């Protein structure tokens, strides 16, 4: 059965054979905190509270329109603030109304070849530029393409390398997410609360860039003009991408600082990409672009986008909200809310923490759920590790990592969220996805609930993983799966990057794979995306019925937990590293997820944060070593391949020369 949305229009085997962070016992008995340097009261400088004005949004649009006209590519232009509020969507006269995702290489599955309103693509690109960036790194949608592919970097000459470090991140900040907020009419207390959802998740189609003021990221701009929504399949050439030139023209005067752009940042020795466009090849003079007032109505106009912008009355450009303010939904924690002065949290616009530390909600399912004190300890200990960790993606070198930390119970309920002051916004939703993913796949109910999913493609993954692992009891709670282990099983080659081998059981085979169809991850949310696209493109006038209803605030169509009205994977799953499950003895009681920096840093913060919290309070901690996924060995072409659990960086701290910090835990 073709489950495509039908809409109206070389690494060696040795790398996986090596066990990671094995040995030692589970951290479930009382013990004193291990000796470690004390983190100062404050080690971060929070970003200044900058925001785009209406006049500045007008200037960005006018500059982009001038370049689009000079290139004869009428486009849809979207501008958002840092927390994802859509400030403007401008549709040029003659612009294509719709866009289409890249088709699949072997038939169309999941989101491959899907078409949708062009405005959705422009907004997704703008949000991606804003969400992936910070005062320490500026990433574009081209950067996103670079780090989500089946090989890193992707080109005809790099077949055999491992997948991108953020493989799968495109399916985050989804429109069905129960964490990311939705558009609200202006004037209400929650109108500007973020982080907002993205209509298509994160984008890898070049043409989305961050916007900066005084070195502070304040938003993003996204362009949809050519009707093709894809990615960059070959990083060895330089693309002449008109959408990227239009976006770059829009950011003139609001450029990302040169020193923090992706092309100044390397991962495992590979320098990332920011843009292929260069100002010397502009077809216009952006700084001399006609003012917005002279083009509005003559060269295009602001348009409504249902669920995102200008739903009532005449669409009007909005000013951005300053990140860090109460109105933005992300602000500094007070002393009574969190122990460390550097901490930021998600707020409700009225002064209240949306996710204060609390006890588990699953007392009817397990004997001893996480307590509020244990949740707080987990957040605090992970925050301390983050504060000491050397960042992988931030400039200048030897900056400290900044991430978002999420803790959940076995029902997927959010027990607490805290973040670094300048952590990238994408990590908010992703850290929650990771915590839920590790918890779900480690749980006794994982297989049975997947078998209840309405799509046969999802149901069949249970049979596939049990066959692949040669274990009929897989997904019944006998194994603790981290997100790194889950990611091993979610790649189109197993081991990752080893061309010619079979795919992992949660992945599509390479003959069907592209970033719009990753496997179980994309199959779980394809119905939600279909519902949302129908919702956005339908005006709601003169009709009714299900087509006018938006997708619910619970992704995946997994069965709801009785009495809750939601499911355990309500913002989707994630398939790159940065989470571990939490145990009391041999009983699963929750999970902790980290996102916002390098994947090894994310792994380490979750792993050591849990270990230190367990030692501090006693009674909970890691799964016993014999339960962990890195005890699973799979024969591949005559060689035994071991799953991974976590991978921690060497010499990871900025304040000590410690090495092998995860060994023996």
């Amino acid at each position: 059965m073709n489950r495509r949305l039908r809409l109206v229009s070389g690494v060696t085997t040795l790398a996986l054979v090596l066990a990671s962070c094995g040995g030692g016992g589970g951290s479930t008995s009382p013990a004193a905190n291990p000796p470690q340097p004390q983190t100062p009261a404050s080690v971060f400088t929070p970003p200044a509270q900058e925001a785009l004005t209406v006049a500045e949004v007008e200037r960005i649009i006018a500059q982009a329109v001038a370049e689009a006209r000079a290139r004869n590519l009428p486009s849809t232009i979207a501008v958002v603030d840092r927390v994802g509020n859509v400030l403007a969507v401008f549709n040029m006269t003659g612009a294509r109304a719709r866009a289409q995702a890249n088709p699949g290489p072997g038939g169309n599955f999941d989101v491959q070849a899907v078409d949708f309103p062009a405005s959705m693509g422009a907004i997704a690109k703008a949000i991606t530029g804003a969400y992936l960036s910070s005062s320490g790194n500026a990433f574009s949608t081209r950067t996103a393409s670079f780090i989500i592919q089946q090989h890193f970097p992707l080109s005809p000459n790099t077949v055999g390398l491992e997948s991108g470090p953020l493989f799968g991140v495109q399916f985050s900040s989804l429109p069905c997410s129960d964490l990311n907020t939705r558009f609200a009419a202006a004037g209400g207390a929650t109108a500007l609360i973020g982080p907002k959802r993205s209509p298509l998740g994160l984008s890898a189609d070049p043409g989305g860039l961050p916007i900066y003021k005084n070195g502070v990221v304040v938003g993003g701009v996204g362009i949809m003009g050519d009707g093709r929504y894809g990615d960059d399949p070959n990083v060895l050439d330089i693309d002449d991408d008109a959408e990227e030139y239009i976006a770059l023209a829009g950011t003139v005067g609001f450029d990302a600082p040169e020193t923090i752009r992706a092309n100044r940042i390397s991962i495992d020795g590979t320098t990332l990409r920011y843009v292929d466009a260069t100002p010397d090849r502009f077809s216009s003079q952006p700084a001399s672009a006609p003012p917005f007032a002279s083009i509005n109505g003559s060269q295009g106009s602001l348009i409504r986008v249902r669920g995102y912008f200008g739903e009532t009355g005449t669409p009007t450009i909005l000013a951005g909200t300053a990140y860090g303010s109460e109105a933005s939904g992300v602000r500094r924690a007070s002393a009574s809310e969190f122990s460390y002065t550097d901490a930021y949290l998600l707020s409700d616009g009225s002064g209240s923490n949306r996710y204060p530390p609390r006890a588990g909600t699953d007392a009817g399912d397990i004997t001893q759920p996480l307590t509020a004190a244990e949740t707080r300890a987990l957040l605090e200990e992970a925050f301390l590790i983050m504060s000491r960790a050397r960042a992988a993606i931030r400039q200048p070198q030897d900056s400290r990592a900044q991430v978002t930390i999420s803790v959940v119970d076995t029902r997927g309920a959010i027990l607490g969220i805290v973040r670094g002051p300048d952590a990238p916004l994408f990590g908010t939703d992703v850290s929650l996805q990771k915590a839920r993913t590790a918890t779900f796949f480690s749980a006794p109910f994982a297989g049975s609930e997947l078998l209840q999913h309405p799509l046969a493609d999802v149901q069949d993954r249970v049979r596939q993983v049990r066959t692949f692992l040669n274990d009929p009891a897989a997904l019944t709670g006998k194994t603790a799966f981290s997100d790194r282990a889950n990611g091993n099983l979610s790649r189109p080659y197993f081991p990752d990057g080893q061309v010619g081998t079979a795919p992992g059981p949660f992945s599509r085979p390479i003959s069907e794979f592209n970033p719009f169809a990753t496997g179980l991850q994309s199959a779980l949310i394809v119905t939600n995306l279909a519902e949302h696209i129908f919702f956005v493109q339908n005006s709601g006038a003169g009709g009714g019925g299900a087509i006018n209803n938006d997708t619910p605030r619970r992704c995946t169509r997994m069965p709801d937990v009785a009495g809750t009205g939601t499911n355990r994977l309500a913002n989707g799953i994630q398939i790159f590293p940065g989470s571990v499950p939490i145990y009391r003895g041999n009983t699963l009681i929750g999970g902790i997820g980290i996102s916002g920096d390098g994947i090894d840093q994310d792994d380490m913060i979750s792993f050591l944060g849990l270990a230190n919290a367990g030692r501090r309070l006693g009674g909970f901690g890691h799964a016993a070593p014999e339960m962990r996924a890195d005890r699973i060995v799979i024969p591949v072409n005559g060689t035994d391949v071991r799953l991974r659990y976590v991978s921690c960086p060497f010499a990871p701290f900025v304040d000590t020369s410690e090495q092998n910090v995860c060994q023996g835990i």
Side-chain angles (χ1 to χ4, degrees), residues 60-79:
I60 291 165
I61 293 172
Q63 292 176 168
V65 167
E67 183 69 15
R69 288 198 72 199
R71 289 179 174 271
N72 195 28
L73 186 66
S75 299
T76 300
I77 302 160
V79 179

Side-chain angles (χ1 to χ4, degrees), residues 335-361:
S336 63
E337 290 172 321
F338 200 71
S339 305
Y340 304 114
T341 59
D342 281 331
Y344 272 47
L345 49 76
L346 302 187
S347 193
D348 67 356
S350 300
S352 297
N353 183 357
R354 284 173 61 191
Y355 302 110
R358 62 169 178 157
T361 67

Side-chain angles (χ1 to χ4, degrees), residues 323-526:
Y323 169 86
S325 66
E326 175 65 28
S328 74
V330 187
R331 61 162 173 81
R332 183 189 289 273
S334 68
S336 63
E337 290 172 321
F338 200 71
S339 305
Y340 304 114
T341 59
D342 281 331
Y344 272 47
L345 49 76
L346 302 187
S347 193
D348 67 356
S350 300
S352 297
N353 183 357
R354 284 173 61 191
Y355 302 110
R358 62 169 178 157
T361 67
D362 46 2
D365 306 329
I366 59 177
T367 304
Q368 290 182 279
L370 279 164
T371 67
E374 289 169 339
T375 298
R376 181 175 290 275
L378 285 160
L379 295 171
E380 289 174 349
E381 294 296 336
F383 194 90
L384 282 175
I385 295 297
M386 175 200 75
S387 300
R388 299 179 54 215
R390 180 177 286 108
I393 65 165
R394 302 180 71 90
Q395 292 290 349
Q397 289 186 350
D398 291 331
S399 294
R400 297 173 190 260
Q402 298 205 44
V403 302
T404 301
I405 305 160
S406 294
V407 176
V408 302
D409 64 17
T410 63
R411 293 182 170 183
I414 303 170
L415 304 188
I417 295 177
V418 69
R419 48 183 282 111
D422 191 38
L425 263 294
F426 85 93
T428 315
D429 188 73
V430 171
S431 67
L432 179 59
Q433 287 183 318
K434 290 181 181 181
R436 285 172 167 169
T437 301
T439 305
F440 179 83
F441 286 95
S442 302
F445 46 72
S448 62
E449 291 198 358
L450 286 169
L451 288 170
Q452 296 175 58
H453 194 277
L455 286 182
D457 188 13
V458 172
Q459 298 170 21
D460 195 47
R461 300 292 172 173
V462 177
R463 177 194 61 79
Q464 291 181 45
V465 75
R466 288 172 175 170
T467 300
F468 190 84
L469 300 180
N470 192 28
D471 182 3
L475 302 182
T476 61
K478 62 180 291 188
T479 300
F481 284 99
S482 63
D483 229 337
R484 186 175 290 270
N486 187 64
N488 289 164
L489 301 174
S490 301
R491 301 300 193 267
Y493 301 105
F494 185 89
D496 187 12
Q498 188 144 322
V499 177
T501 60
F506 293 148
S507 176
R508 291 206 175 276
I510 194 63
S511 60
E512 300 174 354
F513 173 90
N514 76 6
F516 297 105
T518 56
L520 176 62
Q521 181 193 38
S522 52
L524 281 169
I525 54 84
V526 66

Side-chain angles (χ1 to χ4, degrees), residues 294-339:
S294 71
I295 64 172
N296 187 28
S298 61
Q299 296 179 27
S301 60
L302 297 169
I303 60 169
R304 297 188 184 95
V305 182
R306 193 175 186 209
Y308 292 90
F309 178 71
E311 285 197 333
T312 59
T314 302
T316 303
I317 291 178
L318 304 176
T321 302
Y323 169 86
S325 66
E326 175 65 28
S328 74
V330 187
R331 61 162 173 81
R332 183 189 289 273
S334 68
S336 63
E337 290 172 321
F338 200 71
S339 305

Side-chain angles (χ1 to χ4, degrees), residues 70-265:
R71 289 179 174 271
N72 195 28
L73 186 66
S75 299
T76 300
I77 302 160
V79 179
V80 304
D81 66 14
R82 184 177 182 180
V83 295
N85 294 301
V86 180
L87 308 182
V89 181
F90 189 85
N91 192 65
M92 294 179 65
T93 303
R96 291 177 173 87
R98 303 189 70 80
Q100 185 181 65
N102 276 356
N108 292 320
F109 301 90
D110 302 338
V111 194
Q112 293 171 344
V114 169
D115 78 293
F116 47 83
S119 58
M120 296 179 73
I123 293 170
K125 289 185 182 187
I127 286 177
T128 302
Y131 279 13
L132 289 180
S133 301
S134 72
S135 296
N137 72 292
F139 285 4
S140 66
T141 52
R142 186 176 293 280
T143 313
S145 177
F146 200 91
I147 56 183
I148 67 167
Q149 303 287 352
Q150 65 267 30
H151 301 300
F152 173 71
L154 184 65
S155 81
N157 297 342
T158 59
V159 174
L161 296 182
E162 288 185 333
S163 57
L166 266 62
F167 183 94
V169 77
Q170 63 270 33
F171 291 110
S172 65
S173 294
L174 294 163
C176 50
S177 171
D178 65 328
L179 173 76
N180 289 73
T181 60
R182 300 190 175 194
F183 174 87
T190 62
L192 301 177
I193 292 302
K196 288 289 194 297
R197 62 180 179 168
S198 172
L200 299 170
L202 300 187
S203 175
D205 186 24
L209 293 173
I211 298 168
Y212 282 77
K213 284 180 65 173
N214 300 317
V216 177
V217 59
V218 292
V221 60
I223 311 299
M224 203 70 241
D226 60 16
R228 300 185 302 275
Y229 190 72
D231 57 287
D232 181 4
N234 184 2
V235 301
L236 295 183
D237 60 5
I238 301 298
D239 296 336
D240 184 17
D241 191 300
E243 291 179 336
E244 192 167 69
Y245 272 99
I246 296 166
L248 189 63
T251 65
V252 169
F254 306 93
D255 315 76
E258 288 275 359
T259 55
I260 66 169
R261 294 184 186 181
N263 57 294
R264 299 295 185 93
I265 294 170

